Amino acid sequence: NAGVTQTPKFRVLKTGQSMTLLCAQDMNHEYMYWYRQDPGMGLRLIHYSVGEGTTAKGEVPDGYNVSRLKKQNFLLGLESAAPSQTSVYFCASSYSRLAGGADTQYFGPGTRLTVL
Amino acid sequence: QQQVKQSPQSLIVQKGGISIINCAYENTAFDYFPWYQQFPGKGPALLIAIRPDVSEKKEGRFTISFNKSAKQFSLHIMDSQPGDSATYFCAATRSTGFQKLVFGTGTRLLVSP
């Protein structure tokens, strides 16, 4: 049981390049989330998904796209990277609240992205 | 109304001392308040959580105190240890329907030996 895994762990991009971050969870969780973490700003929600095939915008969605084609995977895409997107990105997953599960979000180890 | 304000930004405590981190919220609909602990290079992990039907919750050396009227809650770490050195995030959400966690800005705790 690996929990939540993220690939890659580190990445350096040039401005304008694109990339996809992959998140996978093996806990059969309905909900998945993408956050970015910046110094002094805590964790800010980028996008989230309440189930396979669904996505929704969070607090800071501009410049990012997501897809949830399979229940266990949640992809975060940057179409044209900008230096302002330099950050540490965390994926998380949780049970369905509607199913009476816990509210705990389980986080992956993070991806450190630098955009030059 | 969605903000959770956390203080201090950083904290240095001697081994054996008490670490106290405070959070305040504005949205009175929030009814679930977790604390997450993050070690360097790792993702955050749930440490302890409280619902507003109690004023205090204790798990080992970690205690959450909750003041509903003041809309404040705090984390107390008793007998702080160097292994407690980490960043701590408070958060808040509503427990009905799907609601997103609103995180505080984090407190970097250093426990000196």
Side-chain angles (χ1 to χ4, degrees):
Chain A
N1 191 336
V4 179
T5 58
Q6 293 182 234
T7 53
K9 287 185 169 53
F10 304 93
R11 186 72 186 267
V12 178
L13 291 179
K14 294 181 180 179
T15 297
Q17 288 185 318
S18 63
M19 77 162 294
T20 299
L21 281 66
L22 171 64
C23 175
Q25 53 95 3
D26 60 2
M27 297 175 281
N28 201 35
H29 287 169
E30 288 291 335
Y31 298 165
M32 296 188 75
Y33 317 78
W34 275 107
Y35 293 91
R36 59 177 291 172
Q37 183 177 23
D38 302 290
M41 303 192 75
L43 291 151
R44 294 183 293 168
L45 184 64
I46 305 171
H47 285 281
Y48 63 96
S49 168
V50 299
E52 181 178 316
T54 75
T55 63
K57 294 181 180 179
E59 183 184 353
V60 288
D62 294 342
Y64 306 95
N65 57 75
V66 288
S67 64
R68 183 110 181 260
L69 299 180
K70 293 182 179 181
K71 185 177 182 178
Q72 64 268 33
N73 296 336
F74 195 27
L75 278 62
L76 178 70
L78 286 73
E79 290 186 345
S80 180
S84 61
Q85 293 177 305
T86 293
S87 187
V88 181
Y89 292 87
F90 288 99
C91 175
S93 69
S94 67
Y95 290 110
S96 165
R97 195 194 297 268
L98 296 177
D103 296 298
T104 303
Q105 289 189 17
Y106 295 85
F107 284 80
T111 295
R112 185 173 293 275
L113 175 66
T114 301
V115 182
L116 303 175
Chain B
Q1 246 203 346
Q2 284 294 98
Q3 279 188 329
V4 175
K5 296 182 180 179
Q6 183 172 348
S7 63
Q9 190 172 9
S10 63
L11 182 61
I12 300 175
V13 173
Q14 285 195 332
K15 179 182 176 181
I18 302 174
S19 304
I20 302 174
I21 304 170
N22 300 300
C23 286
Y25 63 99
E26 298 174 349
N27 189 340
T28 55
F30 287 156
D31 61 358
Y32 177 71
F33 303 90
W35 285 87
Y36 281 78
Q37 179 187 53
Q38 183 182 28
F39 293 106
K42 305 292 185 182
L46 179 68
L47 179 65
I48 186 173
I50 195 169
R51 297 187 188 274
D53 52 344
V54 296
S55 61
E56 186 176 283
K57 183 173 182 179
K58 185 176 181 179
E59 290 184 3
R61 295 183 293 107
F62 300 90
T63 300
I64 300 178
S65 297
F66 185 81
N67 186 330
K68 189 173 182 178
S69 61
K71 291 185 287 185
Q72 294 175 348
F73 58 110
S74 59
L75 176 69
H76 295 237
I77 306 174
M78 312 300 288
D79 186 27
S80 298
Q81 299 296 312
D84 297 330
S85 297
T87 299
Y88 293 82
F89 293 95
C90 62
T93 189
R94 291 169 55 185
S95 61
T96 53
F98 177 80
Q99 295 293 335
K100 304 174 287 292
L101 278 174
V102 179
F103 284 92
T105 52
T107 297
R108 181 174 287 187
L109 171 66
L110 176 64
V111 181
S112 59

